[in-house]
Amino acid sequence: MFKFNFDVEAESSSDLEAVKSPFVDKKKHSEELEANEIQIIEWYQAERVKPIDNLIPTLDFYELNAKEREVGKARIRHLVAGFLLEDIKAQTHLDIKKAEESHSDLIAGVYEGGAKIWECTDDLLTYLAGKYEDDTFWKGKRVLDLGCGSGLLGIYAIKMGAQVDFQDYNKDVLEYITYPNILLNVDETLADEQKLEFLENKTSLYAGDWSHFAVLTKDLDKYDLILTSETIYNIDNQEKLLETFAGRLKPDGIVLVAAKSHYFGVGGGMEQFTDKIKLGKVFQTENVWQAEENLKRGILQLKFKES
């Protein structure tokens, strides 16, 4: 079992969490504060997200525009985000629309790339299908697809028999992409009301910042497995990510992080992230998969250190 070093006397600081967290480099944090290098971003509060009212009526349209892929024993169907963009652009309040108009996959504090299926998601799906192909691994497991975007990792876990929750920063990603993708993969023979019952009773979707999500769900059952892909690119958010792992993972659970070796322009990457984990002395890590071609990519496994 892990233990946080929270017995440190709080120093005079505008960010007490930075003093408490075992994952923060306090010297570097202090230097950044003095240099005023930290951009103040108002991150979205966490909330549980319900399906939009017209989800079921538009399901037939989604069926006609779905793509299918085989992942081990599972067949996964999902939307191709491109065909949704015209509809999304008509919704003036959506963060996806703001990102599309800015020709950007990332807008700090506004949009975090959830409409795109990133390369490392495919890596992690392939790894899961090979490593945990036996259905018995998944039965009874509680799984979190963290930073889920299209939700393919969580959908694969559902197809294999796990109970899965999904989290993404943007509410509209969950409403317009994740929820439809989940419904595309439930039993096709279910009536409409049964599909809605499945969404209500078998899964939960959460939007908002990771630190707020961890607080919102702190009294709920923890997870046997946390899956996350392409979520370590922003160094400033890595502490929140690690705190979420620590707060929401069962003592004997595992986390699988799929990521690139380096994210140009933002500084994050697998080696840098591993160093940050070691700083916290909470998790033990193992590189369980790596690709050498083009830009290096890998999968990192985290477990709590034994006391």
Side-chain angles (χ1 to χ4, degrees):
M1 186 62 183
F2 73 96
K3 179 181 179 182
F4 286 111
N5 299 317
F6 282 177
D7 55 348
V8 179
E9 183 179 354
E11 301 170 5
S12 177
S13 170
S14 60
D15 186 358
L16 294 181
E17 289 303 312
V19 177
K20 293 180 179 180
S21 174
F23 300 109
V24 126
D25 184 332
K26 297 181 181 64
K27 179 180 178 182
K28 180 180 178 182
H29 179 79
S30 177
E31 291 173 350
E32 288 175 339
L33 285 175
E34 291 176 4
N36 294 319
E37 293 177 356
I38 297 179
Q39 180 184 2
I40 303 301
I41 296 174
E42 188 173 338
W43 298 97
Y44 293 160
Q45 293 290 323
E47 60 178 306
R48 185 174 177 184
V49 177
K50 298 291 187 177
I52 57 177
D53 291 338
N54 67 339
L55 178 59
I56 294 294
T58 56
L59 189 57
D60 287 342
F61 176 65
Y62 293 148
E63 293 271 1
L64 294 174
N65 292 277
K67 183 178 180 179
E68 186 174 301
R69 64 172 70 189
E70 298 289 333
V71 181
K73 297 178 180 179
R75 183 187 66 165
I76 296 178
R77 305 181 69 204
H78 64 90
L79 300 175
V80 179
F83 96 90
L84 287 171
L85 288 179
E86 290 306 315
D87 179 58
I88 288 171
K89 288 176 183 177
Q91 311 292 325
T92 57
H93 65 287
L94 295 185
D95 292 324
I96 303 176
K97 171 184 167 70
K98 298 174 186 175
E100 177 67 16
E101 291 175 343
S102 301
H103 305 288
S104 175
D105 288 321
L106 301 170
I107 304 176
V110 176
Y111 174 72
E112 295 291 329
K116 182 176 179 178
I117 299 175
W118 299 85
E119 297 91 337
C120 292
T121 297
D122 291 325
D123 295 336
L124 190 45
L125 283 170
T126 301
Y127 175 80
L128 292 172
K131 177 70 174 179
Y132 304 113
E133 61 179 346
D134 188 348
D135 295 3
T136 58
F137 169 82
W138 299 95
K139 302 300 183 184
K141 290 285 195 303
R142 278 186 50 79
V143 177
L144 174 63
D145 187 348
L146 188 66
C148 64
S150 294
L152 302 191
L153 298 173
I155 289 168
Y156 174 77
I158 288 176
K159 303 278 274 189
M160 297 300 289
Q163 182 172 343
V164 182
D165 292 340
F166 299 80
Q167 184 279 336
D168 193 83
Y169 183 68
N170 293 102
K171 180 179 180 179
D172 44 297
V173 168
L174 298 171
E175 291 176 331
Y176 287 87
I177 299 176
T178 317
Y179 261 125
N181 281 346
I182 295 171
L183 279 188
L184 286 172
N185 289 277
V186 301
D187 187 346
E188 297 176 2
T189 64
L190 294 178
D192 289 349
E193 61 271 17
Q194 291 175 309
K195 292 177 180 177
L196 289 175
E197 287 176 6
F198 175 88
L199 295 179
E200 178 65 28
N201 300 323
K202 298 297 185 180
T203 187
S204 297
L205 277 67
Y206 298 94
D209 185 53
W210 286 323
S211 59
H212 301 147
F213 164 74
V215 173
L216 177 67
T217 60
K218 63 182 175 65
D219 295 326
L220 302 180
D221 291 341
K222 295 186 178 183
Y223 299 99
D224 300 282
L225 178 64
I226 297 177
L227 304 171
T228 190
S229 173
E230 308 270 19
T231 51
I232 68 170
Y233 54 85
N234 187 338
I235 292 177
D236 293 335
N237 284 338
Q238 288 177 358
E239 180 191 345
K240 293 187 289 187
L241 181 62
L242 288 168
E243 293 285 359
T244 301
F245 294 164
R248 300 304 303 134
L249 187 67
K250 290 182 178 179
D252 60 348
I254 65 173
V255 180
L256 291 172
V257 180
K260 296 183 176 70
S261 61
H262 185 69
Y263 290 90
F264 297 99
V266 285
M270 192 65 87
E271 183 175 349
Q272 172 272 326
F273 185 59
T274 302
D275 289 341
K276 191 174 188 69
I277 295 171
K278 292 177 181 178
L279 177 71
K281 299 179 181 180
V282 171
F283 295 106
Q284 59 187 32
T285 63
E286 179 184 357
N287 292 302
V288 295
W289 181 87
Q290 186 166 314
E292 297 291 344
E293 72 276 6
N294 300 321
L295 181 62
K296 291 182 180 180
R297 309 184 309 278
I299 297 174
L300 188 68
Q301 177 179 277
L302 284 70
K303 294 181 178 180
F304 285 121
K305 284 188 173 182
E306 295 182 2
S307 57

